[in-house]
Amino acid sequence: VQLQASGGGLVQAGGSLRLSCAASGSSNSINAMDWYRQAPGKQRELVATIRRGGSTNYADSVKGRFTISADNAKNTVYLQMNSLKPEDTAVYYCHAIVVLITHEKYDYWGQGTLVTVSS
């Protein structure tokens, strides 16, 4: 599985951005996809998850502002980010989890895309 993230950029506080993560390869074996972020000097944190059945989870810090969605026909996951705050500034990474019928679990990461929110 290969993941290609895009959509980062510079935005003013209160603005919006949409990140995209296109999966290729054995994308039909993906069980869940996530967006993580890592701010300078901080640990990488989980932002949002979408599972194969469509269920989602969000970090408390982004609930009500961010929406994760998937276009299965395009093998693409999106992260719509609204009401952005300076503290949302980070490199955002997409991540995929594959669990095989043998219960083996594999993790795949895309390259990061930088989101900068100015105050």
Side-chain angles (χ1 to χ4, degrees):
V1 174
Q2 294 81 44
L3 303 175
Q4 181 70 41
S6 61
L10 174 64
V11 63
Q12 288 189 331
S16 298
L17 279 176
R18 189 177 78 159
L19 305 183
S20 300
C21 179
S24 59
S26 302
S27 56
N28 59 353
S29 60
I30 294 173
N31 291 78
M33 291 187 70
D34 318 289
W35 285 97
Y36 282 76
R37 67 185 180 187
Q38 187 165 21
K42 294 188 177 181
Q43 290 188 330
R44 191 173 295 190
E45 64 171 347
L46 178 61
V47 175
T49 298
I50 186 165
R51 297 174 188 82
R52 182 188 291 275
S55 64
T56 58
N57 286 97
Y58 298 91
D60 287 343
S61 59
V62 307
K63 280 181 182 176
R65 300 188 298 121
F66 290 11
T67 302
I68 189 170
S69 61
D71 183 334
N72 294 326
K74 296 182 178 180
N75 293 323
T76 300
V77 168
Y78 303 97
L79 185 67
Q80 178 66 44
M81 305 184 294
N82 299 329
S83 303
L84 282 162
K85 304 175 181 180
E87 51 263 44
D88 294 318
T89 295
V91 178
Y92 285 70
Y93 298 90
C94 62
H95 169 253
I97 300 170
V98 168
V99 180
L100 303 180
I101 195 169
T102 56
H103 303 291
E104 295 170 270
K105 179 183 173 183
Y106 295 90
D107 293 272
Y108 299 89
W109 292 91
Q111 89 289 2
T113 185
L114 177 62
V115 172
T116 304
V117 184
S118 62
S119 56

